[in-house]
Amino acid sequence: MFVGKEGTDLKFNYHMPVKVIMGKGCIKANSDLFSNRWQKALIVTGKTSAKKNGALDDVVQVLDKNGIAYVVFDEVEPNPPIDNVQKGAETAIRHSADLIIGIGGGSPMDAAKAIAMLAANGNPSGNIFRSDYEKPALPIIAVPTTAGTGSEVTQYSIITVPEERTKKNLSAPSLFPEIAFLDAGYMKEMPRDITINTAIDAYSHSVESYLSARSTEMSTVPALESIRVLGEVFPILAGKKAIDSDTREKLLYASMLGGVAIAQTGTTVVHAMGYALTFSKNIDHGMANGLLLCEFLNYVRPENKEKVDTVLTLSGFSTTEKMKEIFIELLGQNRILTKDEISEYAERTVSAKSVANTVPVPALEDIEELYRKSVGV
Ligand code: NAP
Ligand code: FE
């Protein structure tokens, strides 16, 4: 059942070194964690949200209080491409930053991680996804302002590679943030569509992790709890009422748990297939996963019947068809890919590392079939 090193009885090898602090006002309440540690921070954000939702102000106040100088790099694009993070790394080096703080959704948090690695290693050109960096990344602090990616507790930084028309994963133990501050108050004004897309990304992480070939007892616990909490929240997201602060907290908690789970197991073919949809069709990351997830469950079901039933029961869906109905209600119908596009995207996807985590491992034709059933015209 467990995948350890071949020939050993290893049950799991669990590593999650992030100090995770959750609660309203948690950054300012823990100002002492910053004292006498760092001289100069690079704060990495997207264009506007961190300024509007109060997260940037809170971080700046705490840095000021501790006498830590800072520079803001607020140019992170959604699904950040390589040149975007290289520019951030240049800024970090120019200002001799010794701490990188990522505030935002997955895009700024992942950019902050890549910047931390590149800056520590002199912003090398060439393949940024290599595993032989000489120095560990600069210390990272993460402040998630979406509830979806769980990047605040993972060692992954997902960066777009325009030449390859997809995204790739920079992964290293030093990319685990040192501290993650989870304050759902920053999400008060988040539009419903971003809330739904990111919630479904979190759900996808937990479901994929639970069904991954690399799933262990330790990864199953956060994955199932995340699925259960998100199952409670789906009816609220599908309704018309405003999303209250309790629901926001649940989403942020479940998203963090999904991150803890994928930090152990990685994702599966769902995320790999979603990257092509995001790159070529500009479909939001969480939405892309959501559009693929129901057919993924149908595909893995013959070999994972009990697990798929557990996912459906915990989520409050009677069948995958019912789940699909609700997801279409949440995300909208999106039948967009022609036969030629499906062949091209499947080619791009089949060699992605995470495909091998899927049980059973899909062949090219299986990936084509999954695209066709999920989003084919
Ligand atoms: P995002 O691209 O970070 O943000 C999407 C949008 O939401 C942006 O327009 C952003 O505005 C806005 N936004 C952020 N916080 C907000 C708030 N509190 N209120 C209102 N608007 C807000 O989206 P995401 O889904 O969180 O992240 C997606 C990225 O994460 C993808 O690149 C994906 O591949 C990656 N990812 C990483 C991991 C991992 O383990 N590292 C896992 C899954 C996904 P601004 O641009 O102005 O900030
Ligand atoms: Fe994701």
Side-chain angles (χ1 to χ4, degrees):
M1 174 181 177
F2 294 107
V3 181
K5 288 216 171 83
E6 247 172 279
T8 73
D9 290 332
L10 189 68
K11 278 212 146 194
F12 50 77
N13 182 349
Y14 182 81
H15 182 61
M16 214 304 283
V18 185
K19 180 188 269 299
V20 186
I21 304 180
M22 180 163 187
K24 201 166 164 10
C26 63
I27 296 181
K28 288 205 261 183
N30 288 280
S31 168
D32 56 327
L33 292 176
F34 290 75
S35 78
N36 298 321
R37 298 280 317 274
W38 301 290
Q39 307 287 321
K40 190 155 191 182
L42 180 77
I43 305 177
V44 178
T45 72
K47 297 226 159 48
T48 53
S49 71
K51 296 182 189 94
K52 285 195 197 154
N53 63 36
L56 180 59
D57 275 350
D58 286 354
V59 166
V60 163
Q61 277 189 37
V62 165
L63 294 178
D64 282 342
K65 192 171 166 190
N66 284 283
I68 301 172
Y70 63 88
V71 185
V72 179
F73 178 74
D74 62 359
E75 297 174 38
V76 178
E77 297 162 29
N79 309 297
I82 293 181
D83 59 356
N84 197 204
V85 296
Q86 283 171 330
K87 188 170 179 200
E90 249 170 54
T91 312
I93 291 170
R94 199 167 56 245
H95 291 277
S96 309
D98 58 357
L99 169 68
I100 309 292
I101 305 179
I103 307 176
S107 299
M109 287 193 288
D110 283 6
K113 292 173 171 179
I115 289 169
M117 181 60 96
L118 293 175
N121 288 281
N123 201 13
S125 54
N127 175 21
I128 72 159
F129 302 98
R130 59 175 180 246
S131 53
D132 60 350
Y133 282 104
E134 210 171 282
K135 297 196 178 132
L138 296 175
I140 300 156
I141 290 180
V143 183
T145 68
T146 63
T149 70
S151 179
E152 68 275 14
V153 289
T154 73
Q155 70 281 45
Y156 310 128
S157 165
I158 316 288
I159 301 299
T160 299
V161 189
E163 307 80 65
E164 297 186 34
R165 302 167 67 75
T166 191
K167 293 184 194 178
K168 280 184 150 174
N169 180 0
L170 171 63
S171 174
S174 64
L175 293 180
F176 275 113
E178 191 164 312
I179 314 173
F181 289 107
L182 275 59
D183 185 338
Y186 302 137
M187 289 157 213
K188 223 157 79 196
E189 308 290 331
M190 187 188 291
R192 200 169 202 101
D193 59 343
I194 299 182
T195 307
I196 289 172
N197 291 341
T198 46
I200 289 183
D201 187 27
Y203 184 70
S204 197
H205 295 156
S206 300
V207 170
E208 289 176 64
S209 175
Y210 180 52
L211 284 153
S212 164
R214 293 167 58 199
S215 156
T216 68
E217 277 163 347
M218 287 299 288
S219 66
T220 291
V221 174
L224 289 181
E225 175 62 356
S226 166
I227 293 168
R228 186 191 67 76
V229 174
L230 288 165
E232 265 178 37
V233 171
F234 282 139
I236 299 168
L237 297 185
K240 294 270 175 286
K241 278 204 214 135
I243 300 164
D244 59 26
S245 57
D246 182 45
T247 303
R248 293 276 180 209
E249 286 217 318
K250 284 184 179 168
L251 286 168
L252 187 54
Y253 173 59
S255 157
M256 179 274 293
L257 290 175
V260 172
I262 56 167
Q264 311 307 314
T265 62
T267 52
T268 66
V269 69
V270 177
H271 264 65
M273 290 174 70
Y275 293 157
L277 293 180
T278 300
F279 186 87
S280 293
K281 294 289 177 184
N282 202 21
I283 295 181
D284 170 88
H285 172 70
M287 180 187 275
N289 297 326
L291 294 171
L292 300 162
L293 203 53
C294 303
E295 292 302 337
F296 163 77
L297 288 177
N298 286 335
Y299 167 75
V300 298
R301 184 172 202 142
E303 288 203 19
N304 302 274
K305 188 174 174 320
E306 228 174 87
K307 281 191 160 187
V308 171
D309 287 347
T310 302
V311 167
L312 292 173
T313 310
L314 271 182
S315 318
F317 302 126
S318 47
T319 58
T320 47
E321 284 64 43
K322 189 72 201 162
M323 175 178 168
K324 197 165 194 170
E325 230 175 77
I326 292 172
F327 274 27
I328 287 173
E329 203 180 308
L330 288 170
L331 299 169
Q333 179 64 271
N334 223 327
R335 299 225 155 258
I336 45 160
L337 294 195
T338 64
K339 208 161 167 261
D340 286 350
E341 286 171 329
I342 288 175
S343 309
E344 191 207 321
Y345 296 4
E347 282 284 353
R348 256 191 252 167
T349 300
V350 72
S351 54
K353 271 194 230 148
S354 58
V355 171
N357 296 338
T358 315
V359 186
V361 178
L364 185 68
E365 311 78 71
D366 299 315
I367 296 176
E368 287 179 347
E369 183 74 352
L370 276 169
Y371 271 129
R372 194 184 59 69
K373 286 186 171 162
S374 305
V375 285
V377 282

PDB file of all heavy atoms in Angstrom, residues 269-300:
ATOM      1  N   VAL A 269      -2.379  13.557 -12.488  1.00  0.00           N
ATOM      2  CA  VAL A 269      -2.622  13.954 -13.880  1.00  0.00           C
ATOM      3  C   VAL A 269      -3.565  15.157 -13.972  1.00  0.00           C
ATOM      4  O   VAL A 269      -3.499  15.925 -14.926  1.00  0.00           O
ATOM      5  CB  VAL A 269      -3.179  12.739 -14.674  1.00  0.00           C
ATOM      6  CG1 VAL A 269      -4.592  12.372 -14.212  1.00  0.00           C
ATOM      7  CG2 VAL A 269      -3.154  12.993 -16.167  1.00  0.00           C
ATOM      8  N   VAL A 270      -4.416  15.369 -12.964  1.00  0.00           N
ATOM      9  CA  VAL A 270      -5.376  16.481 -13.034  1.00  0.00           C
ATOM     10  C   VAL A 270      -4.635  17.815 -13.149  1.00  0.00           C
ATOM     11  O   VAL A 270      -4.908  18.622 -14.045  1.00  0.00           O
ATOM     12  CB  VAL A 270      -6.311  16.497 -11.791  1.00  0.00           C
ATOM     13  CG1 VAL A 270      -7.249  17.692 -11.841  1.00  0.00           C
ATOM     14  CG2 VAL A 270      -7.088  15.202 -11.687  1.00  0.00           C
ATOM     15  N   HIS A 271      -3.699  18.039 -12.230  1.00  0.00           N
ATOM     16  CA  HIS A 271      -2.954  19.302 -12.293  1.00  0.00           C
ATOM     17  C   HIS A 271      -2.141  19.399 -13.585  1.00  0.00           C
ATOM     18  O   HIS A 271      -2.071  20.457 -14.198  1.00  0.00           O
ATOM     19  CB  HIS A 271      -2.055  19.457 -11.055  1.00  0.00           C
ATOM     20  CG  HIS A 271      -2.688  20.275  -9.972  1.00  0.00           C
ATOM     21  ND1 HIS A 271      -3.812  19.868  -9.314  1.00  0.00           N
ATOM     22  CD2 HIS A 271      -2.381  21.506  -9.473  1.00  0.00           C
ATOM     23  CE1 HIS A 271      -4.163  20.801  -8.434  1.00  0.00           C
ATOM     24  NE2 HIS A 271      -3.303  21.812  -8.521  1.00  0.00           N
ATOM     25  N   ALA A 272      -1.534  18.291 -13.984  1.00  0.00           N
ATOM     26  CA  ALA A 272      -0.722  18.317 -15.212  1.00  0.00           C
ATOM     27  C   ALA A 272      -1.594  18.711 -16.409  1.00  0.00           C
ATOM     28  O   ALA A 272      -1.186  19.519 -17.249  1.00  0.00           O
ATOM     29  CB  ALA A 272      -0.085  16.953 -15.428  1.00  0.00           C
ATOM     30  N   MET A 273      -2.797  18.166 -16.480  1.00  0.00           N
ATOM     31  CA  MET A 273      -3.700  18.491 -17.601  1.00  0.00           C
ATOM     32  C   MET A 273      -4.190  19.938 -17.491  1.00  0.00           C
ATOM     33  O   MET A 273      -4.377  20.626 -18.493  1.00  0.00           O
ATOM     34  CB  MET A 273      -4.910  17.543 -17.598  1.00  0.00           C
ATOM     35  CG  MET A 273      -4.566  16.116 -17.982  1.00  0.00           C
ATOM     36  SD  MET A 273      -5.994  15.010 -17.779  1.00  0.00           S
ATOM     37  CE  MET A 273      -7.059  15.547 -19.101  1.00  0.00           C
ATOM     38  N   GLY A 274      -4.401  20.380 -16.272  1.00  0.00           N
ATOM     39  CA  GLY A 274      -4.909  21.739 -16.054  1.00  0.00           C
ATOM     40  C   GLY A 274      -3.930  22.801 -16.540  1.00  0.00           C
ATOM     41  O   GLY A 274      -4.334  23.866 -17.030  1.00  0.00           O
ATOM     42  N   TYR A 275      -2.626  22.522 -16.425  1.00  0.00           N
ATOM     43  CA  TYR A 275      -1.629  23.532 -16.829  1.00  0.00           C
ATOM     44  C   TYR A 275      -1.793  23.915 -18.305  1.00  0.00           C
ATOM     45  O   TYR A 275      -1.652  25.078 -18.673  1.00  0.00           O
ATOM     46  CB  TYR A 275      -0.202  23.029 -16.570  1.00  0.00           C
ATOM     47  CG  TYR A 275       0.145  22.862 -15.105  1.00  0.00           C
ATOM     48  CD1 TYR A 275       1.162  22.016 -14.697  1.00  0.00           C
ATOM     49  CD2 TYR A 275      -0.564  23.556 -14.119  1.00  0.00           C
ATOM     50  CE1 TYR A 275       1.476  21.855 -13.353  1.00  0.00           C
ATOM     51  CE2 TYR A 275      -0.257  23.403 -12.770  1.00  0.00           C
ATOM     52  CZ  TYR A 275       0.765  22.546 -12.393  1.00  0.00           C
ATOM     53  OH  TYR A 275       1.070  22.387 -11.065  1.00  0.00           O
ATOM     54  N   ALA A 276      -2.098  22.933 -19.157  1.00  0.00           N
ATOM     55  CA  ALA A 276      -2.270  23.237 -20.587  1.00  0.00           C
ATOM     56  C   ALA A 276      -3.511  24.111 -20.786  1.00  0.00           C
ATOM     57  O   ALA A 276      -3.500  25.041 -21.598  1.00  0.00           O
ATOM     58  CB  ALA A 276      -2.388  21.937 -21.385  1.00  0.00           C
ATOM     59  N   LEU A 277      -4.575  23.836 -20.033  1.00  0.00           N
ATOM     60  CA  LEU A 277      -5.796  24.649 -20.154  1.00  0.00           C
ATOM     61  C   LEU A 277      -5.521  26.090 -19.724  1.00  0.00           C
ATOM     62  O   LEU A 277      -6.027  27.043 -20.318  1.00  0.00           O
ATOM     63  CB  LEU A 277      -6.925  24.072 -19.287  1.00  0.00           C
ATOM     64  CG  LEU A 277      -7.505  22.722 -19.684  1.00  0.00           C
ATOM     65  CD1 LEU A 277      -8.600  22.303 -18.710  1.00  0.00           C
ATOM     66  CD2 LEU A 277      -8.058  22.758 -21.104  1.00  0.00           C
ATOM     67  N   THR A 278      -4.741  26.241 -18.678  1.00  0.00           N
ATOM     68  CA  THR A 278      -4.431  27.598 -18.212  1.00  0.00           C
ATOM     69  C   THR A 278      -3.543  28.313 -19.217  1.00  0.00           C
ATOM     70  O   THR A 278      -3.811  29.457 -19.596  1.00  0.00           O
ATOM     71  CB  THR A 278      -3.731  27.546 -16.828  1.00  0.00           C
ATOM     72  OG1 THR A 278      -4.614  26.911 -15.912  1.00  0.00           O
ATOM     73  CG2 THR A 278      -3.408  28.946 -16.325  1.00  0.00           C
ATOM     74  N   PHE A 279      -2.522  27.623 -19.700  1.00  0.00           N
ATOM     75  CA  PHE A 279      -1.591  28.299 -20.614  1.00  0.00           C
ATOM     76  C   PHE A 279      -2.282  28.665 -21.926  1.00  0.00           C
ATOM     77  O   PHE A 279      -2.190  29.791 -22.388  1.00  0.00           O
ATOM     78  CB  PHE A 279      -0.356  27.424 -20.907  1.00  0.00           C
ATOM     79  CG  PHE A 279       0.649  28.181 -21.733  1.00  0.00           C
ATOM     80  CD1 PHE A 279       1.604  28.975 -21.112  1.00  0.00           C
ATOM     81  CD2 PHE A 279       0.598  28.169 -23.126  1.00  0.00           C
ATOM     82  CE1 PHE A 279       2.499  29.732 -21.856  1.00  0.00           C
ATOM     83  CE2 PHE A 279       1.489  28.924 -23.880  1.00  0.00           C
ATOM     84  CZ  PHE A 279       2.445  29.693 -23.240  1.00  0.00           C
ATOM     85  N   SER A 280      -2.984  27.712 -22.523  1.00  0.00           N
ATOM     86  CA  SER A 280      -3.475  27.937 -23.887  1.00  0.00           C
ATOM     87  C   SER A 280      -4.868  28.534 -23.935  1.00  0.00           C
ATOM     88  O   SER A 280      -5.243  29.140 -24.926  1.00  0.00           O
ATOM     89  CB  SER A 280      -3.465  26.621 -24.660  1.00  0.00           C
ATOM     90  OG  SER A 280      -2.132  26.221 -24.849  1.00  0.00           O
ATOM     91  N   LYS A 281      -5.670  28.342 -22.896  1.00  0.00           N
ATOM     92  CA  LYS A 281      -7.056  28.839 -22.935  1.00  0.00           C
ATOM     93  C   LYS A 281      -7.323  29.864 -21.850  1.00  0.00           C
ATOM     94  O   LYS A 281      -8.466  30.290 -21.662  1.00  0.00           O
ATOM     95  CB  LYS A 281      -8.036  27.660 -22.782  1.00  0.00           C
ATOM     96  CG  LYS A 281      -8.006  26.683 -23.926  1.00  0.00           C
ATOM     97  CD  LYS A 281      -8.633  27.300 -25.172  1.00  0.00           C
ATOM     98  CE  LYS A 281      -8.540  26.360 -26.350  1.00  0.00           C
ATOM     99  NZ  LYS A 281      -9.051  26.970 -27.585  1.00  0.00           N
ATOM    100  N   ASN A 282      -6.275  30.217 -21.123  1.00  0.00           N
ATOM    101  CA  ASN A 282      -6.398  31.236 -20.082  1.00  0.00           C
ATOM    102  C   ASN A 282      -7.480  30.886 -19.050  1.00  0.00           C
ATOM    103  O   ASN A 282      -8.171  31.776 -18.543  1.00  0.00           O
ATOM    104  CB  ASN A 282      -6.700  32.590 -20.738  1.00  0.00           C
ATOM    105  CG  ASN A 282      -6.315  33.732 -19.835  1.00  0.00           C
ATOM    106  OD1 ASN A 282      -5.500  33.548 -18.920  1.00  0.00           O
ATOM    107  ND2 ASN A 282      -6.920  34.890 -20.035  1.00  0.00           N
ATOM    108  N   ILE A 283      -7.644  29.604 -18.789  1.00  0.00           N
ATOM    109  CA  ILE A 283      -8.609  29.180 -17.776  1.00  0.00           C
ATOM    110  C   ILE A 283      -7.920  29.225 -16.415  1.00  0.00           C
ATOM    111  O   ILE A 283      -6.801  28.728 -16.268  1.00  0.00           O
ATOM    112  CB  ILE A 283      -9.116  27.746 -18.073  1.00  0.00           C
ATOM    113  CG1 ILE A 283      -9.893  27.768 -19.399  1.00  0.00           C
ATOM    114  CG2 ILE A 283      -9.995  27.217 -16.948  1.00  0.00           C
ATOM    115  CD1 ILE A 283     -10.462  26.428 -19.788  1.00  0.00           C
ATOM    116  N   ASP A 284      -8.582  29.841 -15.468  1.00  0.00           N
ATOM    117  CA  ASP A 284      -8.036  29.946 -14.115  1.00  0.00           C
ATOM    118  C   ASP A 284      -7.568  28.569 -13.598  1.00  0.00           C
ATOM    119  O   ASP A 284      -8.188  27.542 -13.892  1.00  0.00           O
ATOM    120  CB  ASP A 284      -9.133  30.511 -13.197  1.00  0.00           C
ATOM    121  CG  ASP A 284      -8.734  30.428 -11.757  1.00  0.00           C
ATOM    122  OD1 ASP A 284      -8.100  31.380 -11.288  1.00  0.00           O
ATOM    123  OD2 ASP A 284      -9.013  29.387 -11.108  1.00  0.00           O
ATOM    124  N   HIS A 285      -6.513  28.574 -12.783  1.00  0.00           N
ATOM    125  CA  HIS A 285      -5.902  27.323 -12.320  1.00  0.00           C
ATOM    126  C   HIS A 285      -6.892  26.406 -11.592  1.00  0.00           C
ATOM    127  O   HIS A 285      -7.005  25.209 -11.913  1.00  0.00           O
ATOM    128  CB  HIS A 285      -4.713  27.660 -11.409  1.00  0.00           C
ATOM    129  CG  HIS A 285      -4.126  26.487 -10.725  1.00  0.00           C
ATOM    130  ND1 HIS A 285      -3.420  25.523 -11.397  1.00  0.00           N
ATOM    131  CD2 HIS A 285      -4.176  26.088  -9.428  1.00  0.00           C
ATOM    132  CE1 HIS A 285      -3.041  24.586 -10.539  1.00  0.00           C
ATOM    133  NE2 HIS A 285      -3.485  24.918  -9.337  1.00  0.00           N
ATOM    134  N   GLY A 286      -7.614  26.955 -10.622  1.00  0.00           N
ATOM    135  CA  GLY A 286      -8.552  26.127  -9.853  1.00  0.00           C
ATOM    136  C   GLY A 286      -9.692  25.631 -10.728  1.00  0.00           C
ATOM    137  O   GLY A 286     -10.110  24.466 -10.639  1.00  0.00           O
ATOM    138  N   MET A 287     -10.175  26.510 -11.591  1.00  0.00           N
ATOM    139  CA  MET A 287     -11.272  26.117 -12.480  1.00  0.00           C
ATOM    140  C   MET A 287     -10.823  24.982 -13.406  1.00  0.00           C
ATOM    141  O   MET A 287     -11.563  24.015 -13.630  1.00  0.00           O
ATOM    142  CB  MET A 287     -11.721  27.321 -13.317  1.00  0.00           C
ATOM    143  CG  MET A 287     -12.840  26.988 -14.259  1.00  0.00           C
ATOM    144  SD  MET A 287     -13.229  28.326 -15.382  1.00  0.00           S
ATOM    145  CE  MET A 287     -14.326  29.288 -14.405  1.00  0.00           C
ATOM    146  N   ALA A 288      -9.608  25.081 -13.916  1.00  0.00           N
ATOM    147  CA  ALA A 288      -9.090  24.042 -14.820  1.00  0.00           C
ATOM    148  C   ALA A 288      -9.120  22.681 -14.125  1.00  0.00           C
ATOM    149  O   ALA A 288      -9.588  21.683 -14.692  1.00  0.00           O
ATOM    150  CB  ALA A 288      -7.665  24.398 -15.258  1.00  0.00           C
ATOM    151  N   ASN A 289      -8.688  22.650 -12.871  1.00  0.00           N
ATOM    152  CA  ASN A 289      -8.704  21.373 -12.137  1.00  0.00           C
ATOM    153  C   ASN A 289     -10.135  20.885 -11.931  1.00  0.00           C
ATOM    154  O   ASN A 289     -10.429  19.701 -12.084  1.00  0.00           O
ATOM    155  CB  ASN A 289      -8.028  21.528 -10.768  1.00  0.00           C
ATOM    156  CG  ASN A 289      -6.571  21.896 -10.885  1.00  0.00           C
ATOM    157  OD1 ASN A 289      -5.898  21.474 -11.818  1.00  0.00           O
ATOM    158  ND2 ASN A 289      -6.082  22.703  -9.962  1.00  0.00           N
ATOM    159  N   GLY A 290     -11.008  21.832 -11.573  1.00  0.00           N
ATOM    160  CA  GLY A 290     -12.404  21.477 -11.295  1.00  0.00           C
ATOM    161  C   GLY A 290     -13.089  20.872 -12.511  1.00  0.00           C
ATOM    162  O   GLY A 290     -13.892  19.943 -12.385  1.00  0.00           O
ATOM    163  N   LEU A 291     -12.757  21.382 -13.686  1.00  0.00           N
ATOM    164  CA  LEU A 291     -13.389  20.875 -14.904  1.00  0.00           C
ATOM    165  C   LEU A 291     -12.968  19.437 -15.204  1.00  0.00           C
ATOM    166  O   LEU A 291     -13.673  18.705 -15.895  1.00  0.00           O
ATOM    167  CB  LEU A 291     -13.031  21.770 -16.098  1.00  0.00           C
ATOM    168  CG  LEU A 291     -13.583  23.202 -16.046  1.00  0.00           C
ATOM    169  CD1 LEU A 291     -12.980  24.053 -17.156  1.00  0.00           C
ATOM    170  CD2 LEU A 291     -15.103  23.208 -16.148  1.00  0.00           C
ATOM    171  N   LEU A 292     -11.815  19.039 -14.676  1.00  0.00           N
ATOM    172  CA  LEU A 292     -11.256  17.715 -14.992  1.00  0.00           C
ATOM    173  C   LEU A 292     -11.517  16.673 -13.910  1.00  0.00           C
ATOM    174  O   LEU A 292     -11.413  15.460 -14.144  1.00  0.00           O
ATOM    175  CB  LEU A 292      -9.738  17.838 -15.191  1.00  0.00           C
ATOM    176  CG  LEU A 292      -9.283  18.793 -16.319  1.00  0.00           C
ATOM    177  CD1 LEU A 292      -7.811  19.173 -16.134  1.00  0.00           C
ATOM    178  CD2 LEU A 292      -9.495  18.135 -17.684  1.00  0.00           C
ATOM    179  N   LEU A 293     -11.843  17.148 -12.728  1.00  0.00           N
ATOM    180  CA  LEU A 293     -11.817  16.290 -11.545  1.00  0.00           C
ATOM    181  C   LEU A 293     -12.844  15.148 -11.562  1.00  0.00           C
ATOM    182  O   LEU A 293     -12.538  14.024 -11.151  1.00  0.00           O
ATOM    183  CB  LEU A 293     -12.024  17.168 -10.300  1.00  0.00           C
ATOM    184  CG  LEU A 293     -11.516  16.641  -8.982  1.00  0.00           C
ATOM    185  CD1 LEU A 293     -10.056  16.229  -9.052  1.00  0.00           C
ATOM    186  CD2 LEU A 293     -11.699  17.714  -7.903  1.00  0.00           C
ATOM    187  N   CYS A 294     -14.056  15.418 -12.035  1.00  0.00           N
ATOM    188  CA  CYS A 294     -15.093  14.372 -11.976  1.00  0.00           C
ATOM    189  C   CYS A 294     -14.732  13.205 -12.889  1.00  0.00           C
ATOM    190  O   CYS A 294     -14.857  12.034 -12.500  1.00  0.00           O
ATOM    191  CB  CYS A 294     -16.452  14.945 -12.399  1.00  0.00           C
ATOM    192  SG  CYS A 294     -16.928  16.333 -11.406  1.00  0.00           S
ATOM    193  N   GLU A 295     -14.263  13.510 -14.094  1.00  0.00           N
ATOM    194  CA  GLU A 295     -13.878  12.425 -15.007  1.00  0.00           C
ATOM    195  C   GLU A 295     -12.627  11.704 -14.502  1.00  0.00           C
ATOM    196  O   GLU A 295     -12.455  10.516 -14.734  1.00  0.00           O
ATOM    197  CB  GLU A 295     -13.668  12.949 -16.430  1.00  0.00           C
ATOM    198  CG  GLU A 295     -14.953  13.412 -17.109  1.00  0.00           C
ATOM    199  CD  GLU A 295     -16.033  12.318 -17.194  1.00  0.00           C
ATOM    200  OE1 GLU A 295     -15.691  11.121 -17.134  1.00  0.00           O
ATOM    201  OE2 GLU A 295     -17.218  12.679 -17.296  1.00  0.00           O
ATOM    202  N   PHE A 296     -11.767  12.437 -13.805  1.00  0.00           N
ATOM    203  CA  PHE A 296     -10.610  11.788 -13.172  1.00  0.00           C
ATOM    204  C   PHE A 296     -11.098  10.742 -12.170  1.00  0.00           C
ATOM    205  O   PHE A 296     -10.609   9.609 -12.148  1.00  0.00           O
ATOM    206  CB  PHE A 296      -9.746  12.851 -12.482  1.00  0.00           C
ATOM    207  CG  PHE A 296      -8.769  12.318 -11.467  1.00  0.00           C
ATOM    208  CD1 PHE A 296      -7.583  11.710 -11.861  1.00  0.00           C
ATOM    209  CD2 PHE A 296      -9.031  12.420 -10.102  1.00  0.00           C
ATOM    210  CE1 PHE A 296      -6.675  11.213 -10.916  1.00  0.00           C
ATOM    211  CE2 PHE A 296      -8.139  11.939  -9.156  1.00  0.00           C
ATOM    212  CZ  PHE A 296      -6.960  11.331  -9.566  1.00  0.00           C
ATOM    213  N   LEU A 297     -12.101  11.103 -11.362  1.00  0.00           N
ATOM    214  CA  LEU A 297     -12.623  10.143 -10.371  1.00  0.00           C
ATOM    215  C   LEU A 297     -13.228   8.928 -11.075  1.00  0.00           C
ATOM    216  O   LEU A 297     -13.043   7.790 -10.634  1.00  0.00           O
ATOM    217  CB  LEU A 297     -13.646  10.816  -9.456  1.00  0.00           C
ATOM    218  CG  LEU A 297     -13.061  11.800  -8.434  1.00  0.00           C
ATOM    219  CD1 LEU A 297     -14.172  12.469  -7.634  1.00  0.00           C
ATOM    220  CD2 LEU A 297     -12.091  11.104  -7.477  1.00  0.00           C
ATOM    221  N   ASN A 298     -13.943   9.176 -12.178  1.00  0.00           N
ATOM    222  CA  ASN A 298     -14.490   8.046 -12.932  1.00  0.00           C
ATOM    223  C   ASN A 298     -13.374   7.161 -13.480  1.00  0.00           C
ATOM    224  O   ASN A 298     -13.477   5.937 -13.496  1.00  0.00           O
ATOM    225  CB  ASN A 298     -15.361   8.553 -14.098  1.00  0.00           C
ATOM    226  CG  ASN A 298     -16.692   9.095 -13.605  1.00  0.00           C
ATOM    227  OD1 ASN A 298     -17.173   8.703 -12.545  1.00  0.00           O
ATOM    228  ND2 ASN A 298     -17.290  10.007 -14.363  1.00  0.00           N
ATOM    229  N   TYR A 299     -12.289   7.803 -13.915  1.00  0.00           N
ATOM    230  CA  TYR A 299     -11.166   7.059 -14.503  1.00  0.00           C
ATOM    231  C   TYR A 299     -10.461   6.183 -13.463  1.00  0.00           C
ATOM    232  O   TYR A 299     -10.132   5.022 -13.714  1.00  0.00           O
ATOM    233  CB  TYR A 299     -10.169   8.047 -15.150  1.00  0.00           C
ATOM    234  CG  TYR A 299      -8.845   7.426 -15.498  1.00  0.00           C
ATOM    235  CD1 TYR A 299      -8.702   6.577 -16.595  1.00  0.00           C
ATOM    236  CD2 TYR A 299      -7.710   7.656 -14.699  1.00  0.00           C
ATOM    237  CE1 TYR A 299      -7.482   5.982 -16.890  1.00  0.00           C
ATOM    238  CE2 TYR A 299      -6.496   7.069 -14.988  1.00  0.00           C
ATOM    239  CZ  TYR A 299      -6.385   6.228 -16.084  1.00  0.00           C
ATOM    240  OH  TYR A 299      -5.179   5.633 -16.371  1.00  0.00           O
ATOM    241  N   VAL A 300     -10.225   6.733 -12.247  1.00  0.00           N
ATOM    242  CA  VAL A 300      -9.457   5.966 -11.247  1.00  0.00           C
ATOM    243  C   VAL A 300     -10.338   4.990 -10.450  1.00  0.00           C
ATOM    244  O   VAL A 300      -9.833   4.112  -9.770  1.00  0.00           O
ATOM    245  CB  VAL A 300      -8.681   6.883 -10.248  1.00  0.00           C
ATOM    246  CG1 VAL A 300      -7.661   7.732 -10.989  1.00  0.00           C
ATOM    247  CG2 VAL A 300      -9.609   7.743  -9.415  1.00  0.00           C
TER     248      VAL A 300
END
